[in-house]
Amino acid sequence: AVDESELLTVPDGWKEPAFTREDNPKGLLEESSFATLFPKYREAYLKECWPLVQKALGEHYVNAALDLIEGSMTVTTTKKTFDPYAIIRARDLIKLLARSVPFEQAVRILQDDVACDIIKIGTLVRKRDTFIKRRGRLLGPKGSTLKALELLTNCYIMVQGNTVSALGPFSGLKEVRKVVLDTMKNIHPIYNIKTLMIKRELAKDPELRSQSWERFLPKFKRKNLKKRKEPKKKNTKKEYTPFPPPQPESQIDKELASGEYFLKERQKKQKRVEEIKAKQADALKKRQEERNKAFIPPKEKPAVKTKKVSTEKKIDIEAIKEKVKNAKKKKLGALPVEEVKLKMAADEKKKKKK
C-alpha cells in the first residue's frame, strides 16, 4: 500500500525529460512567426547582441530578424524545427529583450524549467506621482527590496517603465506577481517578503509539507486607515410610494375655505388695510422696546455689610498682678559693690584650697 501524499508530491531533483527530435521526427506542417516592437533607446544594444540571439535561436532551428527601420524583431520557424514550443519561447525572448532585460538573462527562457511573466503596472494607479512612489517602493533603497525578492523567489526581476519583467520558475513567478500587484495597491512589499521567508523555512521541514501553514504566517492589519468624513447634511431617501403626492391647494381654494371668496371687493381691500396696519403697529411696538432698552438702569449689586470688629477685650487682672510680683523678685541692673567683693573673696578661697 502506497501513501497518497507521496504520489501527489514531486520527488526532489526530478526533471521532465527534454523534448528531442525522436519525439517529433517529421517536424512541423505550418510556419509560425511572431513579431514585437522595441523602443528607440534599445536599438544600439539589440544591434550589438543580435548575433548572439541568432546563434541561441539557431540551436532550436528558429530564425530571427531585426528590422531597425520599423523598430521590430521577428522570429519564425523553419523546416528543421521539431519542437512546437520553441517558437513560443523565442517569442518570449524577444519580448524580454524589448523590455530592457539583458541578453544573458533573457536567453534562459529557452530552458525547459524557466518561464517569464511581464506584469503591466501602468494602469493600476491613477495619479502619476503616486505610481512613481509605489514603483520606487518596489525597488527599495539602492535596489535592496528587489534583491531580497529575487533571492526568495529564485527569479530575475526587471522594473522598466510601466512593466515589471520576471524570469524564473513557475512557483516564483506566482509570488512575484502577487507582491507587485499588492505594492501597487499600497501594501508595502516588506510584509510579503516576511511571509516568503517564513514559508521558505517551513518548506525545509518534511513533516509540515502536507499541513496547513496559516497558523505560522503573520496576519498584518492596516492601522492608519483614514475614516471618511461624514457630510453635515445627510440626504435621507424617502420611502417609495407608487401614488403621487397630493395636489397643493390653490389661492381660490384657500379663499373658499376661509370665506374670503364671497366678500365684496371693498370689504377685501378694507381687510388687507387692517392687516397691514396691524403689522405696522407690531413693528412699531418692537422698535420702541428696542429704543427703551438703553434707558433701563442696570441692576445694582447688593451692598455687603462689614462686620464690626469688637475692640473691647477682656482684661485678666489676676494675670497682671502675678507678672508684677515676678518682676519685683528679679534684680534689675548691675550687682552692688559689696556683693561683688564677697563673690571675689569666695572664688579666691576655693582656688587656695585646690
Side-chain angles (χ1 to χ4, degrees):
V2 182
D3 191 7
E4 289 183 3
S5 61
E6 291 180 6
L7 294 172
L8 294 171
T9 54
V10 180
D12 294 332
W14 181 84
K15 281 187 178 182
E16 194 173 341
F19 195 85
T20 58
R21 185 171 283 281
E22 294 173 2
D23 297 324
N24 187 16
K26 294 181 180 181
L28 304 175
L29 295 172
E30 293 288 337
E31 184 184 286
S32 302
S33 65
F34 289 101
T36 185
L37 299 172
F38 60 87
K40 186 73 176 175
Y41 61 84
R42 290 291 289 169
E43 186 177 322
Y45 179 78
L46 291 171
K47 193 176 178 180
E48 187 182 344
C49 72
W50 196 250
L52 297 171
V53 176
Q54 287 179 326
K55 186 182 176 182
L57 292 174
E59 293 175 3
H60 297 270
Y61 304 102
V62 177
N63 286 337
L66 178 66
D67 191 349
L68 296 175
I69 297 166
E70 291 184 1
S72 66
M73 293 179 283
T74 311
V75 288
T76 55
T77 57
T78 60
K79 291 180 180 180
K80 292 183 179 180
T81 309
F82 60 88
D83 188 1
Y85 202 71
I87 188 65
I88 303 296
R89 295 191 184 282
R91 179 202 64 182
D92 293 341
L93 173 63
I94 60 174
K95 273 188 179 180
L96 292 169
L97 289 171
R99 296 314 310 151
S100 299
V101 178
F103 170 76
E104 292 78 9
Q105 293 290 340
V107 77
R108 289 171 52 209
I109 195 66
L110 299 174
Q111 300 172 13
D112 288 338
D113 56 344
V114 179
C116 74
D117 190 9
I118 297 171
I119 307 157
K120 294 179 181 179
I121 58 172
T123 56
L124 297 176
V125 184
R126 288 182 182 178
K127 293 183 181 178
R128 184 68 183 172
D129 296 339
T130 312
F131 168 73
I132 291 165
K133 283 181 183 178
R134 290 181 188 178
R135 187 179 63 181
R137 196 181 294 168
L138 184 64
L139 293 167
K142 297 181 181 179
S144 57
T145 306
L146 197 68
K147 190 68 181 174
L149 197 61
E150 285 180 350
L151 291 169
L152 288 167
T153 57
N154 297 323
C155 293
Y156 173 80
I157 305 166
M158 181 71 187
V159 181
Q160 177 68 22
N162 294 332
T163 58
V164 178
S165 305
L167 187 76
F170 289 99
S171 58
L173 292 174
K174 186 181 176 183
E175 297 294 341
V176 170
R177 177 171 274 274
K178 183 180 179 297
V179 174
V180 170
L181 294 178
D182 283 352
T183 306
M184 289 295 123
K185 291 174 185 174
N186 202 20
I187 298 170
H188 203 280
I190 194 66
Y191 299 124
N192 287 311
I193 286 170
K194 283 182 179 180
T195 307
L196 288 172
M197 288 172 72
I198 294 165
K199 283 181 179 179
R200 193 178 185 182
E201 294 299 319
L202 292 169
K204 293 177 182 177
D205 193 350
E207 293 181 2
L208 294 171
R209 280 187 180 181
S210 59
Q211 296 180 15
S212 177
W213 292 350
E214 286 185 7
R215 55 200 174 108
F216 301 108
L217 300 177
K219 292 177 182 178
F220 301 105
K221 293 180 181 179
R222 290 187 181 183
K223 293 181 181 179
N224 56 345
L225 281 175
K226 291 181 180 179
K227 290 183 179 179
R228 186 186 173 189
K229 290 182 179 178
E230 293 182 358
K232 290 181 179 178
K233 292 181 180 179
K234 292 184 179 180
N235 296 326
T236 54
K237 288 186 177 181
K238 296 179 180 178
E239 291 183 4
Y240 172 74
T241 54
F243 307 104
Q247 192 174 2
E249 288 185 347
S250 64
Q251 189 66 24
I252 296 169
D253 292 337
K254 290 177 181 177
E255 288 178 359
L256 285 168
S258 62
E260 192 180 343
Y261 183 79
F262 303 103
L263 295 174
K264 292 179 181 179
E265 192 66 30
R266 185 169 51 80
Q267 290 174 332
K268 286 180 182 179
K269 281 183 180 180
Q270 190 178 354
K271 191 177 181 182
R272 283 181 208 141
V273 170
E274 286 175 0
E275 286 176 359
I276 291 165
K277 284 182 178 179
K279 284 182 182 179
Q280 286 176 350
D282 289 340
L284 186 66
K285 190 178 180 182
K286 285 181 182 178
R287 207 179 301 123
Q288 198 66 34
E289 285 176 0
E290 288 291 328
R291 286 175 183 173
N292 293 336
K293 277 182 182 179
F295 300 103
I296 297 169
K299 289 182 179 179
E300 293 182 1
K301 293 180 180 178
V304 181
K305 293 180 181 179
T306 53
K307 293 180 180 179
K308 291 182 180 179
V309 181
S310 57
T311 52
E312 296 177 0
K313 292 182 180 179
K314 292 181 179 179
I315 299 165
D316 195 355
I317 297 167
E318 296 295 330
I320 292 168
K321 284 181 180 179
E322 285 183 8
K323 283 183 181 179
V324 171
K325 284 181 183 178
N326 292 331
K328 284 181 180 178
K329 288 178 182 177
K330 289 181 181 179
K331 292 178 180 179
L332 300 171
L335 293 169
V337 181
E338 293 177 357
E339 287 185 8
V340 173
K341 286 181 179 179
L342 289 169
K343 271 192 175 184
M344 288 175 68
D347 291 337
E348 285 177 1
K349 283 180 182 180
K350 285 180 181 178
K351 286 179 181 178
K352 284 178 182 180
K353 285 179 181 180
K354 290 178 179 180

